[in-house]
Amino acid sequence: MKMNKIAIALTSVFLFALGQLAAQNIKSKDVVFKSKADSITIGATISSPEKAGKYPAIIIASGTGAQDRDGTMGGTKMFARIANYLTPKGYIVLRMDDRGVGKTTGEYRYATTADFALDVLGAVEFLKAEKNVDLNHIGLLGHSEGGAVISIAASKSKDVTFLVSLAGLASNGLESLFVQNENLVNNSPLPEVDKKRSNEINRLMFATAFQYATSDSLESKLNAVYNYWKQKDDSYFKTLGIEFDHFRFPIWSYVQYAIGPWYRYFVKYDPQLFLGKVDVPILAINGSKDVFVDPVNLDYWKQYSRSGQQGKVTTLLLPNVNHLLQPCKECTPSEYTKLGDIPDSTLDSIVKWLGQTVK
């Protein structure tokens, strides 16, 4: 029994030492650099291997919603996890605060997906001046809307030599809104009749936003369409024989959101305009239970990019995995905080592809 305790103690010391050794193999520094946009400065962290040398570099682009450089979402720090996993394997990783977060200036609500691509291109220029960066191997990794961000950035830069999409968007904006919201509604606890009504008004409003995205009359058009639908819906509800109507569409908040610059750009976003110019190797990974970026996006990375036409797109569909790349059971957003980080197996898949493609 004593020997077992000694063995356990020695094992613990050994594992701790290994953890310390791994930590010593990484050096991190906080930096600030200019976006390709006029007045934005970006706060970021660069993680590099401790050993001197030239290394491939990866810039992380976040998804929708203002996020910090660590990618704090659903109780996880997705981007810090990725950086700390890839760096000891021989990669430099840059992760940055979104606009208006941490050390990054500007206001997130006034920016578009195209603006976020300019921020990424600023990171590319910054890394080109770092002495330990292999200039022939600078890549972009995008999560969720970050897939669109890296598509735009790569189409505008010859310095980008590979892309990694983690649940990254490769469908057009309008389609993604249709699919995402129907997935969320259909997986919600709403009664079936309210699911039908929700999907109907969502599609109607999204289509109207698409049609008038560049018009000064967008707000009035959205309100007019909603009022027309509401009259029909009120009449429909009376035929159901249900005493109380609990269904509500958040018309005011939706309209205020839709008339903003981000939504106007996103609903008209066409990935083919950008991916058609991209011919670098691409790895695209999706979870089969992702309700935000449907797995059909894996096909679009192949269909829309020049890379796909040249056989340079690798796709990986992970069964029973959600939008944060977590193995899941219920696979709803409310479950995120119970599930922990991206598993090693997924990160190992990225490392394996990078080893075959980049190094």
Side-chain angles (χ1 to χ4, degrees), residues 202 226 247-256:
N202 281 341
Y226 173 76
F247 177 75
R248 300 288 184 275
F249 181 81
I251 179 61
W252 186 87
S253 58
Y254 171 76
V255 170
Q256 296 312 302

Side-chain angles (χ1 to χ4, degrees), residues 56 98 109 151 167 226 259 266 292 303 324 349 359:
D98 284 344
R109 60 179 174 157
S151 300
Y226 173 76
I259 63 176
F266 185 80
F292 287 100
Q303 292 176 21
L324 298 187
S349 297
K359 286 190 172 180

Side-chain angles (χ1 to χ4, degrees), residues 172-201:
N172 68 63
L174 181 60
E175 178 187 350
S176 71
L177 289 172
F178 283 158
V179 173
Q180 178 185 113
N181 282 272
E182 287 189 2
N183 283 340
L184 290 169
V185 168
N186 294 339
N187 285 281
S188 76
L190 285 173
E192 288 302 316
V193 65
D194 286 345
K195 288 181 180 179
K196 174 180 177 296
R197 298 164 76 194
S198 183
N199 286 331
E200 182 179 87
I201 184 59

Side-chain angles (χ1 to χ4, degrees), residues 286-306:
N286 252 86
S288 69
K289 299 296 185 179
D290 189 338
V291 297
F292 287 100
V293 175
D294 194 274
V296 72
N297 279 265
L298 293 179
D299 295 331
Y300 296 150
W301 284 104
K302 289 184 175 181
Q303 292 176 21
Y304 297 156
S305 66
R306 289 182 63 190

Side-chain angles (χ1 to χ4, degrees), residues 164-239:
V164 177
S165 163
L166 298 183
L169 186 72
S171 58
N172 68 63
L174 181 60
E175 178 187 350
S176 71
L177 289 172
F178 283 158
V179 173
Q180 178 185 113
N181 282 272
E182 287 189 2
N183 283 340
L184 290 169
V185 168
N186 294 339
N187 285 281
S188 76
L190 285 173
E192 288 302 316
V193 65
D194 286 345
K195 288 181 180 179
K196 174 180 177 296
R197 298 164 76 194
S198 183
N199 286 331
E200 182 179 87
I201 184 59
N202 281 341
R203 278 192 165 264
L204 194 58
M205 297 301 276
F206 300 160
T208 303
F210 176 84
Q211 183 178 358
Y212 296 99
T214 60
S215 170
D216 292 338
S217 64
L218 175 58
E219 182 172 4
S220 62
K221 294 292 185 182
L222 288 171
N223 283 315
V225 166
Y226 173 76
N227 290 332
Y228 171 76
W229 174 85
K230 187 70 169 62
Q231 288 182 347
K232 290 180 59 181
D233 184 68
D234 286 344
S235 298
Y236 166 69
F237 184 78
K238 289 178 182 178
T239 69

Side-chain angles (χ1 to χ4, degrees), residues 23-24 42 69 82 124 129 141 149 156 175 179 192 200 203 224 235 268 294 315 321 333 341 356:
Q24 291 170 2
I42 310 294
R69 67 188 70 186
I82 293 170
V124 171
L141 182 153
V149 171
K156 298 177 181 297
E175 178 187 350
V179 173
E192 288 302 316
E200 182 179 87
R203 278 192 165 264
S235 298
K268 298 288 285 187
D294 194 274
T315 60
V321 165
D341 292 320
Q356 295 170 343

